[in-house]
Amino acid sequence: MFNSITGIVNLKLKDRIYVRTNGIEWAIFTTEKSLLRFPDIGEEVRIFTYLHHREDQLKIFGFVSGEERNLFFDLLKVEGLGPRLAIKILSGIEVNDFIEALDNNDVESLSSIPGLGKKTAQKIILKLKGKLKLAERPWGSVEEDIITALAGMGFDRKASRNAVKTALKSINTNSMSKSQLEKELFTRAISIASGKDG
């Protein structure tokens, strides 16, 4: 089983990315959140993958981080929830917000995701609360650290969270170490929170 694919981005569509490696072009289904963070066409990318095998088809699903992929695996454990709906869920909510919704039994936030009703949201909370296996958090922990730092500087916590989320969308997390990411994310987030970056 392959863990990831590294290659050159050929094309990005709404629900998939095409990556070229040694003369092979891979069609990889992905989330809208991952798609925003993957590099531009012509640049190198590493995608964490999952090969879904059914009798009549093979599909590769890809993610910007091991954390997002782990959450995808956890969602597949929920009865009646397949890869397509799991991708929809991860397209509609950030990983950290999903974890927060689980911790707070926040059915409303989860059921606001397009295609996810209250019944399924309740089922997800019942099945996954306190049981997530998110071993890899390359940017998630950095995000929380910077939100706390901005709040400590006097910025409103909600505004700080929004600023960090906005900044994160413009950064290619695949190409950075944790320390590089922290420095870049902090610089951009404080600029946004201060109103200096539209």
Side-chain angles (χ1 to χ4, degrees), residues 4-167:
S4 68
I5 291 175
T6 300
I8 304 300
V9 179
N10 266 6
L11 182 65
K12 293 167 79 174
L13 300 178
K14 187 182 178 183
D15 64 345
R16 72 196 76 177
I17 184 170
Y18 291 85
V19 178
R20 186 179 73 255
T21 62
N22 299 320
I24 299 171
E25 185 180 68
W26 305 87
I28 302 171
F29 292 85
T30 188
T31 70
E32 290 178 23
K33 302 296 182 188
S34 278
L35 211 53
L36 285 170
R37 295 191 177 105
F38 286 140
D40 294 330
I41 292 170
E43 295 183 17
E44 186 174 82
V45 64
R46 181 188 181 195
I47 302 177
F48 293 86
T49 53
Y50 163 67
L51 178 63
H52 182 66
H53 179 223
R54 285 197 337 199
E55 206 172 294
D56 57 341
Q57 65 179 214
L58 286 171
K59 270 188 180 179
I60 301 173
F61 293 91
F63 309 90
V64 75
S65 68
E67 179 191 28
E68 189 184 40
R69 181 178 60 180
N70 287 343
L71 183 50
F72 174 81
F73 289 152
D74 283 324
L75 285 168
L76 294 183
K77 295 173 187 172
V78 179
E79 187 183 349
L81 204 155
R84 186 177 295 182
L85 184 52
I87 288 288
K88 254 188 186 177
I89 291 168
L90 293 174
S91 290
I93 191 168
E94 295 284 355
V95 172
N96 283 351
D97 291 338
F98 182 90
I99 296 166
E100 197 174 305
L102 278 191
D103 289 343
N104 297 326
N105 293 315
D106 190 351
V107 175
E108 294 299 322
S109 289
L110 291 182
S111 60
S112 69
I113 298 168
L116 188 65
K118 283 192 176 183
K119 200 171 180 180
T120 306
Q122 288 169 337
K123 196 189 289 186
I124 288 170
I125 291 171
L126 191 64
K127 177 73 176 177
L128 299 182
K129 186 176 179 180
K131 299 175 185 174
L132 296 182
K133 296 176 181 176
L134 299 176
E136 300 174 56
R137 303 200 66 176
W139 46 264
S141 57
V142 171
E143 185 180 343
E144 288 302 321
D145 289 345
I146 292 173
I147 290 167
T148 300
L150 289 174
M153 292 170 66
F155 291 101
D156 175 75
R157 190 166 185 88
K158 187 176 179 182
S160 299
R161 184 177 291 279
N162 289 337
V164 170
K165 282 183 184 178
T166 301

Side-chain angles (χ1 to χ4, degrees), residues 146 150 155 159-160 163-165 167-168 184-195 197:
I146 292 173
L150 289 174
F155 291 101
S160 299
V164 170
K165 282 183 184 178
L168 192 59
E184 181 67 18
L185 189 55
F186 181 74
T187 302
R188 294 195 193 193
I190 198 168
S191 180
I192 293 165
S194 303
D197 188 332

